Amino acid sequence: MKNFVKLAAGLMVAASFMSAASAQTVLKSSDTHPDGYPTVEGVKYFGELVKERTQGRYAIEVYHSAQLGEEKDTIEQVRSGVIELNRISMAPFNGTVKETIVPALPYVFRSEEHMHKVMDGAIGDQIKKAFEPVGLVVLAYYDAGARSFYNKTKPISTVADMKGLKFRVIQSDIFVDMVAALGANATPMPYGEVYSAIETGVIDGAENNFPSYDTAKHAEVAKNYSLDEHTILPEVFVMNKAAFDKLTPEDQEIFKQAAKDSVAKQRELWSAKVAESRANVEKLGAKITTPEKQGFIDAMAPVYAKHVKDDVLKKMVEDVKAVQ
């Protein structure tokens, strides 16, 4: 009888462990960048906080290095609910969420600090609300630094130096028009194809921040980096709205607070990574030049005229400029 009681007790304990294990919900999150990249680590930290604050009821699996596909593919996956979470550039949303056009505009932000103030405030909240009708909830905005042009052909000091060069851009009409306004040719293509495209001469170069220029090893094949800082475009960390709505109100608050807390961590990692990456590419022999920016800024008038048409976007641009 005693053995039976012990056996029954053991089975109950085992059952409780199995029940606890089966009660855990695992959510998938995608990122195109490699393991260790600040955005990847930001989402990992978010996952740690969620797991801790839900007592293990939720776990986040982060698939880095485009394991689940390039950005265009994963946008559709998260909107349809195939995956629950996605860290992605904001620019590919320009065609579906018009409010994302404003942060993607060239030279709309004066500095990274200016961008932080804008995205952490009322304008950032306005953009978050605009994502919900397309089936997404914005959990956080992450840093992606300032994007600049780099190429294998020559240093770029003026707008005239851009003429005729072929640059890869992200899949965004704004970026295509920006390059055209500077007298160059834009070629949208997936991030993972850029290295070979530069190496084989399909394109002359691309545009991105120092960490991407470094970690994707583009500095090996395109050694002229022009610090024009045309866009300071935040990344967006989104969740499928149906999946978010399934959470209890208490868990929704946990997810939102964990995402907010992860922003400070990601920004800290980003700042350190920029310094490290700049040093890395300089060691590889990259020539970093600082062009006369005003000429680039002046060339953007047709881009603004084409993409900032309605009153909502015009007001947003003015509101961004007014943030001090």
Side-chain angles (χ1 to χ4, degrees):
M1 185 68 180
K2 288 182 179 179
N3 289 337
F4 176 77
V5 171
K6 288 181 179 178
L7 177 61
L11 290 171
M12 289 176 65
V13 171
S16 69
F17 277 117
M18 290 175 65
S19 176
S22 64
Q24 185 181 72
T25 300
V26 178
L27 306 178
K28 297 183 291 295
S29 184
S30 177
D31 199 304
T32 58
H33 291 299
D35 197 20
Y37 197 85
T39 55
V40 174
E41 295 306 307
V43 177
K44 283 184 181 178
Y45 185 62
F46 161 81
E48 291 171 10
L49 296 178
V50 166
K51 187 174 183 179
E52 175 189 332
R53 294 171 185 178
T54 63
Q55 289 78 51
R57 289 183 291 106
Y58 286 92
I60 311 299
E61 288 184 353
V62 181
Y63 292 84
H64 54 79
S65 307
Q67 293 176 72
L68 301 181
E70 295 288 349
E71 288 191 340
K72 183 179 179 181
D73 303 317
T74 59
I75 287 175
E76 293 309 312
Q77 289 178 45
V78 73
R79 288 186 67 187
S80 64
V82 174
I83 60 177
E84 293 82 15
L85 297 153
N86 200 3
R87 192 293 313 158
I88 199 164
S89 173
M90 195 177 289
F93 288 106
N94 290 167
T96 52
V97 182
K98 73 174 184 179
E99 286 80 358
T100 63
I101 288 172
V102 173
L105 290 168
Y107 305 104
V108 72
F109 296 119
R110 297 185 295 273
S111 64
E112 286 190 49
E113 291 73 23
H114 180 220
M115 183 271 287
H116 291 164
K117 288 181 180 179
V118 170
M119 302 309 295
D120 291 346
I123 298 169
D125 290 341
Q126 181 180 354
I127 296 171
K128 283 182 179 180
K129 290 178 183 176
F131 270 82
E132 294 191 13
V134 301
L136 296 170
V137 173
V138 175
L139 294 176
Y141 299 115
Y142 283 160
D143 272 15
R147 300 175 74 98
S148 294
F149 290 104
Y150 51 87
N151 76 94
K152 66 188 294 183
T153 307
K154 61 183 178 180
I156 295 170
S157 298
T158 67
V159 172
D161 295 326
M162 296 282 291
K163 188 174 182 179
L165 293 178
K166 294 177 289 185
F167 290 96
R168 176 268 180 177
V169 295
I170 53 183
Q171 292 166 317
S172 161
D173 289 345
I174 291 176
F175 278 64
V176 171
D177 293 338
M178 170 186 69
V179 171
L182 294 170
N185 302 304
T187 302
M189 69 171 61
Y191 181 64
E193 297 176 13
V194 175
Y195 184 101
S196 61
I198 297 174
E199 188 177 36
T200 58
V202 173
I203 55 176
D204 297 298
E207 51 80 46
N208 221 314
N209 51 57
F210 275 122
S212 294
Y213 181 54
D214 171 31
T215 59
K217 304 192 182 302
H218 295 170
E220 293 179 355
V221 290
K223 294 193 180 296
N224 301 296
Y225 192 96
S226 178
L227 203 60
D228 67 289
E229 299 178 317
H230 46 264
T231 55
I232 306 176
L233 182 65
E235 307 277 30
V236 63
F237 180 39
V238 296
M239 184 170 182
N240 174 270
K241 189 174 186 302
F244 183 81
D245 289 345
K246 287 180 183 177
L247 300 174
T248 65
E250 293 77 16
D251 285 342
Q252 287 180 354
E253 288 305 312
I254 287 173
F255 272 60
K256 288 192 289 187
Q257 188 60 49
K260 184 177 181 180
D261 292 343
S262 75
V263 170
K265 179 77 170 179
Q266 195 271 338
R267 286 179 181 173
E268 178 185 339
L269 292 171
W270 181 261
S271 181
K273 186 65 177 176
V274 169
E276 175 192 329
S277 290
R278 178 164 184 166
N280 287 344
V281 299
E282 287 178 331
K283 286 178 185 176
L284 280 175
K287 299 174 183 177
I288 300 170
T289 58
T290 302
E292 173 50 55
K293 284 188 183 181
Q294 193 57 49
F296 288 77
I297 294 170
D298 293 344
M300 292 303 106
V303 178
Y304 277 69
K306 179 178 178 179
H307 293 280
V308 186
K309 291 181 177 179
D310 66 35
D311 292 339
V312 171
L313 297 185
K314 287 178 181 178
K315 184 177 188 304
M316 281 184 71
V317 169
E318 293 306 313
D319 289 345
V320 168
K321 291 179 178 178
V323 172
Q324 298 299 318

